[in-house]
Structures are given as C-alpha cells and as structure tokens.
Amino acid sequence: MEGINISYFMNGAAFMFFGYVSFRLLTHRPRSRIQRILGLTLAFWALLEFKDILLYFPSLKTERLVNSLLFIDGWAVAACSFYLLELTAPGWLNWKKVFSLLSPYLAFTIAYLCTFYAPIFPFYFGFILIYSAIIVLIVTFAARRYQRYNYSYSEHIDVAWLKKATFILAICLVTWVYTSINITGWGDTIYYISSVLLWSVIVHYSAYQISISMPNNLKGNLLSKKNIEEKEEVEEEQENGSYYAFQEILHKVMEEQQLYLNPKLTISDVANAIGTNRTYLSSYFNNKLNITFYDYINNLRIEKTGKQLLATYPYTMNIDEIAERSGFNSTSTFRRAFFKNTGMTPLQYRKSIQK
C-alpha cells in the first residue's frame, strides 16, 4: 500500500513538473525552434501524466480503458524522438515527418481499439524497443556529424550530454514496459522518477543549447545529405522584421575591434558587443547569410589575417604561429577552415602566391 501511495504522489509531481516546464518554454520570448519543440513534447507528457491521475477513480478504471491508454503511453517514445532528431539535425523535422514517425503507433492503437485483442501487446512493446534502438543509432550518427561542424571554439553546441540522457531514457523505457506488464506501485514510482530525471537533464542542457543549421544536414530520408529547405514561420518573421538591424554594426565592430582574433570567441560575445540577442544573431547567420556563425568567424580569420600572414612572412613564420595569430585554437582547425575557404591547404596557398 505504501508503494501505491508514493506512486500517486510521484504521478502528481510529474504532472506538475511537465505542465510547469512546458508552460514556461511555450510562453518564453524570444523562443527558439528547439525550445518550442521541447515545450510541445513536455506538454504531451503532461497530458499523459494527467491521464494516469484520472485512472485513480475506480469508475474509470476498466480493463479495456487501461489497456487502450497503455497504447497511447507508447506515443511518448515517438514524442521524445522528435526532440532528439531536431536537436541533432536542426531543421529536419516537419509535420509530415512527425506524422510518418507517429503512424506506426497510431496503427497499433487503432488495431487494438477495433479488436481489443490482447496478444497485440507483445508486438507493440517489441516495436517500441526496436524503434527506440533505431532512433538511438540515428541520433548517435547525427550527433557525430553535428560535432564535425565545430571549426572554432563554440559555446553550448556540444551534444555529448545526450549520452547521459540516453542512459536515463533506457531506464525509463525498460521500467515502463515492465510496469505495463506487471503493475506495481514501486514500479510506477521508479518510472515517474526516471521520467522526471530524464527531462530535467534535457531541459537543463537545452536551456543553453544553440542549434546550428548545417549545410549538409539530414533531409528527405534520415541519412541523406541535402540542403535544408524547410523554414519555420518564426524564422521567416525574424528574417523579414527588424531583428537584423544590427548588420552594419556587426561589420563595423568586426573591422574595428577584430573580435575574430579571440580564439575563444562565442556567439554570445558578439551579440553583447553589437547589442542584440544571440538567438537573433544566430538566425541572421543561418537564414540571411546562409552560413553558420563558426564558418563566418573562421572566414574572417582567414581573409583578414591568415592569408596576409602567409603572404607577408613566407619564410619566417610557420603554420602553427600563423594559426595562433589568426585566432584559431588549434592548427588542425586552421587547416580545415583554410581548405574550406580556399580549396587549398595553407602550404599550397603559400606556394601559389610565391609563383
């Protein structure tokens, strides 16, 4: 009985947590795309927790209703995958893809509601486990690709924390499957605690997470390499509004203060220097210039300093020193960025200007 009482308490606590955090995310201004998706995901989880509260009334707790709601509980896995995919592949997710990923869950749920055939449950649980494993693999692959675009020092773009979230997600998922088959108060308590812990970790890191729209992102199918074409209405409003009034100030500050020479320069530093919000500044680079903040800074480092040093000191300054003076925190980063900018290595460029 004690386990049941604690599960009741944790159910209510989980509902309040998801409801409060989703409300804060969805009403916060300015709100990024990733924060909006996270807010909608948590709002859905809040509805699931509220549904469990309703089942505490004996008149509502019929076997068929409980089983039907278990199928809807499985949708939470899909909702979680939406956020993870958007986090590691910014801009990939749209309503069409949401429906495609959710359609198997709908099919299982409709099949049960039409037949009330209990043996469907093992197939449904098996599908959820397979789906989860595939999503983890895709997110892992996408996260590694995402990290490869970090050509200069960056703030809050590392998604390595997903390993922690994935581990907690596994505990949450296994607990949910177990408690769906063997309903116990303590099992439900562990599930509620793990779900709150999972999303606490995600919300904590997402509060500072910067999404970077990469030129070769996931598009079409999950592993293709095409340019992102979908733009959210929020991004279009930003592009057409007064959010980019800082364009001239940005160029002036870069010329006069040479911020790009700081190897630990962050988008927040630049935003503070020109008196704007880092969200709008990131939107300006991605949507107006069609370039990431990191490529923008690296191009300035190469054009304003790197090329000049290679030409001015062809024999007396080595590549390591040129990379350091140009504002790069490593020679390898300098080489990658230089090749991306010119199509040549620094040594090839030096030889070409000596001819």
Side-chain angles (χ1 to χ4, degrees):
M1 186 66 182
E2 181 182 356
I4 296 294
N5 291 334
I6 294 177
S7 71
Y8 289 169
F9 172 79
M10 286 307 305
N11 186 184
F15 167 69
M16 294 177 65
F17 168 80
F18 290 121
Y20 173 75
V21 177
S22 63
F23 176 79
R24 288 295 301 272
L25 286 170
L26 294 175
T27 57
H28 181 265
R29 294 291 188 280
R31 182 181 64 246
S32 66
R33 172 184 165 92
I34 192 66
Q35 289 173 332
R36 182 162 67 91
I37 292 176
L38 179 57
L40 292 172
T41 301
L42 292 180
F44 178 72
W45 276 62
L47 289 175
L48 293 180
E49 303 300 343
F50 181 71
K51 170 266 299 178
D52 289 345
I53 294 175
L54 293 179
L55 291 179
Y56 297 151
F57 297 94
S59 59
L60 297 177
K61 198 170 184 179
T62 64
E63 182 179 356
R64 285 189 173 183
L65 179 59
V66 171
N67 289 342
S68 299
L69 293 178
L70 279 176
F71 276 88
I72 296 177
D73 277 340
W75 300 9
V77 178
C80 186
S81 71
F82 301 155
Y83 169 78
L84 294 176
L85 290 170
E86 175 61 27
L87 178 68
T88 51
W92 179 83
L93 197 66
N94 57 33
W95 287 111
K96 182 179 179 180
K97 294 186 178 71
V98 166
F99 179 78
S100 298
L101 293 171
L102 190 59
S103 57
Y105 293 88
L106 292 171
F108 272 107
T109 304
I110 293 172
Y112 178 77
L113 292 176
C114 292
T115 62
F116 295 108
Y117 187 56
I120 295 178
F121 272 103
F123 294 98
Y124 186 52
F125 291 146
F127 163 76
I128 289 176
L129 294 175
I130 294 172
Y131 177 96
S132 301
I134 293 174
I135 290 297
V136 168
L137 289 175
I138 292 174
V139 168
T140 301
F141 168 81
R144 289 176 180 174
R145 291 188 61 238
Y146 186 86
Q147 296 299 93
R148 286 202 292 268
Y149 284 83
N150 302 342
Y151 295 117
S152 64
Y153 178 86
S154 56
E155 179 188 29
H156 303 308
I157 61 174
D158 192 349
V159 292
W161 59 269
L162 277 176
K163 293 180 181 179
K164 302 175 185 176
T166 303
F167 175 74
I168 302 173
L169 175 61
I171 297 175
C172 187
L173 180 61
V174 171
T175 306
W176 175 76
V177 172
Y178 176 79
T179 55
S180 298
I181 299 173
N182 303 286
I183 300 176
T184 63
W186 287 111
D188 287 341
T189 299
I190 295 173
Y191 167 72
Y192 292 130
I193 292 175
S194 61
S195 62
V196 169
L197 181 61
L198 166 67
W199 288 107
S200 295
V201 170
I202 291 176
V203 170
H204 170 73
Y205 285 102
S206 296
Y208 306 99
Q209 190 75 34
I210 299 175
S211 295
I212 305 171
S213 296
M214 299 176 292
N216 289 324
N217 212 332
L218 303 182
K219 173 80 169 66
N221 70 63
L222 291 175
L223 299 181
S224 65
K225 296 182 178 180
K226 297 181 181 179
N227 291 337
I228 301 175
E229 297 176 351
E230 290 92 355
K231 301 292 183 181
E232 289 293 305
E233 292 182 2
V234 174
E235 294 172 342
E236 292 176 354
E237 290 176 2
Q238 291 178 346
E239 187 173 358
N240 296 327
S242 61
Y243 299 94
Y244 303 142
F246 51 74
Q247 297 177 68
E248 294 184 6
I249 300 176
L250 173 64
H251 299 314
K252 183 179 180 180
V253 168
M254 284 298 173
E255 288 288 341
E256 295 180 355
Q257 299 184 23
Q258 296 182 318
L259 298 179
Y260 50 86
L261 294 182
N262 176 7
K264 292 188 177 182
L265 184 68
T266 70
I267 194 168
S268 295
D269 295 333
V270 178
N272 291 333
I274 63 176
T276 188
N277 185 289
R278 71 180 184 183
T279 301
Y280 301 148
L281 183 58
S282 178
S283 176
Y284 168 71
F285 289 125
N286 295 330
N287 300 327
K288 194 76 172 180
L289 301 185
N290 294 317
I291 192 173
T292 67
F293 165 73
Y294 310 99
D295 284 340
Y296 174 82
I297 296 300
N298 285 343
N299 286 338
L300 286 176
R301 289 167 174 167
I302 293 166
E303 294 293 338
K304 300 293 185 180
T305 307
K307 288 182 178 180
Q308 294 182 18
L309 291 177
L310 284 168
T312 306
Y313 304 99
Y315 305 108
T316 59
M317 190 175 293
N318 60 40
I319 300 299
D320 292 341
E321 188 175 358
I322 291 175
E324 182 179 358
R325 290 199 180 188
S326 299
F328 288 91
N329 57 2
S330 71
T331 304
S332 60
T333 300
F334 171 67
R335 292 179 190 277
R336 287 199 304 268
F338 195 94
F339 186 83
K340 187 173 184 178
N341 178 276
T342 64
M344 295 183 286
T345 65
L347 290 178
Q348 290 172 336
Y349 180 82
R350 172 176 277 175
K351 291 179 181 179
S352 70
I353 61 178
Q354 291 174 353
K355 293 181 180 179

